[in-house]
Amino acid sequence: MTFLTRFAPSPTGPLHLGHAYSALLASDIAKAESGQFLLRIEDIDQSRSRQHWEDQIYNELTWLGLTWPKPVVRQSDRMGVYDQALDRLWGQGFLFPCTCNRKDIAAAASAPQEGAPMHGPDGIIYPGTCRKAHQDKDLRQHPRPRNEPLRLDIAKACQAIHDQSRFQFIELGSGPDGETGTITFTPDELINTIGDVVLSRRDMGTSYHLSVVLDDAAQGITHVVRGQDLFEATRIHVLLQALLDFPTPAYLHHDLIRDETGKRLAKRDDARAISKYRAEGHSPADIRRLVGL
Ligand code: GLU
């Protein structure tokens, strides 16, 4: 099997040391495996994505010594693909529209009978308000709403997967608690620790989870190398791969870069922007040393 991996930054701010680590590691492993390293621009959030950040990504990765095939895939060019997948999932009855705002969700999730609100990869686990409101309707008979968020009915989705071997993935790195090897999970775990995730956001027409799964499949990614902060979201991606009949790639979640005190670097830590190190005269070899490669 050809080894194909990718680095998938969002052009919503400067690249920092954490990004450099992820990109260099993915590229190094691809080289060691005689495989290929791809770059993908994850710009579905058009309210925050900027061309100058995208240009800076190309510039800084090139400065770091990375190369990738061109043209690169940009998610904003693939909205039609995401739309078709949503049509398919809607037609299968797996989606429902949700009009709850953050406050509604927090209030419903902390209602006395629900116990304390639990957190999943996307925040408070959705208490199911809109799903319950729609449960007696066959939503498939109605056109898919275009301007409302759509959530995945996770229990229904799990029920549709009969091959239990789809509820697992291979972890070549490790999760935050050292999880490694074959990671298995059950439908109940998905229902209780993830809940009905949003697959189409308002004003976006898609979501990170849906787009990443569709793009990794379309590009034939065999190994996903990314930070441990996305380990918990992987089960959502594996479920979507099963629903959409895609293979599940292997995952390698890497440790997050920490500062001198051991604190995880925030996603946006401008103090550790690559541009700052460059301006101070550091070399690409210095960056490699700083991230431990
Ligand atoms: N675009 C995501 C981010 O910048 C990364 C997605 C992924 O690697 O799966 O955090």
Side-chain angles (χ1 to χ4, degrees), residues 6-12 19 22 40-43 75 208 212 216 224-227 229-230 237 251 253 267-268:
R6 85 308 191 266
F7 174 56
S10 299
T12 53
H19 291 109
S22 212
R40 182 169 73 228
I41 301 294
E42 301 216 323
D43 58 351
Q75 291 190 322
Y208 160 62
V212 83
D216 283 339
V224 173
V225 178
R226 62 185 181 191
D229 51 336
L230 291 167
H237 303 169
Y251 287 85
H253 290 95
K267 273 238 152 139
R268 296 278 164 249

Side-chain angles (χ1 to χ4, degrees), residues 250-271:
Y251 287 85
L252 191 157
H253 290 95
H254 58 72
D255 202 0
L256 298 172
I257 298 289
R258 292 166 196 273
D259 68 13
E260 306 72 31
T261 64
K263 192 165 103 351
R264 263 168 49 167
L265 285 192
K267 273 238 152 139
R268 296 278 164 249
D269 185 343
D270 294 356

Side-chain angles (χ1 to χ4, degrees), residues 17 57 67 99 107 111 118 159 169 197 221 239 249 262 279:
L17 278 188
I57 289 170
T67 56
T99 49
M118 294 237 321
Q159 266 166 24
F169 63 96
V197 284
I221 300 299
L239 175 68

Side-chain angles (χ1 to χ4, degrees), residues 4-257:
L4 198 54
T5 191
R6 85 308 191 266
F7 174 56
S10 299
T12 53
L15 286 192
H16 60 63
L17 278 188
H19 291 109
Y21 178 53
S22 212
L24 288 166
L25 183 66
S27 170
D28 285 359
I29 299 175
K31 253 185 216 140
E33 298 289 332
S34 309
Q36 196 165 42
F37 166 80
L38 305 182
L39 174 64
R40 182 169 73 228
I41 301 294
E42 301 216 323
D43 58 351
I44 51 172
D45 186 351
Q46 286 288 304
S47 69
R48 296 199 304 135
S49 296
R50 297 287 178 273
Q51 186 61 48
H52 68 270
W53 294 129
E54 185 179 325
D55 294 340
Q56 193 167 320
I57 289 170
Y58 300 138
N59 184 297
E60 284 176 349
L61 294 181
T62 303
W63 177 76
L64 283 170
L66 300 182
T67 56
W68 56 89
K70 299 184 183 75
V72 300
V73 168
R74 296 162 87 228
Q75 291 190 322
S76 55
D77 293 331
R78 290 176 45 77
M79 295 307 292
V81 174
Y82 310 143
D83 207 53
Q84 272 177 19
L86 289 168
D87 276 343
R88 173 171 169 183
L89 295 169
W90 180 264
Q92 290 170 306
F94 295 140
L95 304 180
F96 62 90
C98 177
T99 49
C100 299
N101 59 31
R102 273 173 208 274
K103 244 168 92 186
D104 297 335
I105 294 172
S110 55
Q113 70 276 18
E114 305 287 349
M118 294 237 321
H119 286 77
D122 287 350
I124 293 181
I125 295 173
Y126 183 63
T129 320
C130 286
R131 170 171 38 77
K132 290 171 198 158
H134 289 297
Q135 67 192 359
D136 297 327
K137 296 180 211 145
D138 185 359
L139 290 172
R140 294 174 299 175
Q141 306 304 325
H142 302 271
R144 172 163 71 83
R146 301 278 155 172
N147 295 319
E148 280 172 41
L150 300 176
R151 287 184 182 272
L152 178 69
D153 181 332
I154 205 144
K156 209 185 248 184
C158 286
Q159 266 166 24
I161 296 163
H162 302 295
D163 176 0
Q164 296 307 300
S165 72
R166 299 283 340 213
F167 292 100
Q168 66 181 42
F169 63 96
I170 306 290
E171 175 59 60
L172 298 171
S174 68
D177 295 321
E179 304 90 333
T180 192
T182 303
I183 310 290
T184 55
F185 48 92
T186 62
D188 278 350
E189 273 170 50
L190 290 181
I191 295 164
N192 297 327
T193 65
I194 290 180
D196 302 328
V197 284
V198 174
L199 288 193
S200 180
R201 298 196 169 275
R202 191 194 298 281
D203 301 329
M204 212 185 265
T206 182
S207 60
Y208 160 62
H209 299 308
L210 182 70
S211 299
V212 83
V213 163
L214 288 163
D215 294 347
D216 283 339
Q219 295 190 286
I221 300 299
T222 60
H223 292 73
V224 173
V225 178
R226 62 185 181 191
Q228 243 165 29
D229 51 336
L230 291 167
F231 178 80
E232 293 301 333
T234 305
R235 290 172 302 162
I236 306 171
H237 303 169
V238 172
L239 175 68
L240 288 173
Q241 286 150 3
L243 287 180
L244 294 164
D245 298 317
F246 295 147
T248 289
Y251 287 85
L252 191 157
H253 290 95
H254 58 72
D255 202 0
L256 298 172
I257 298 289

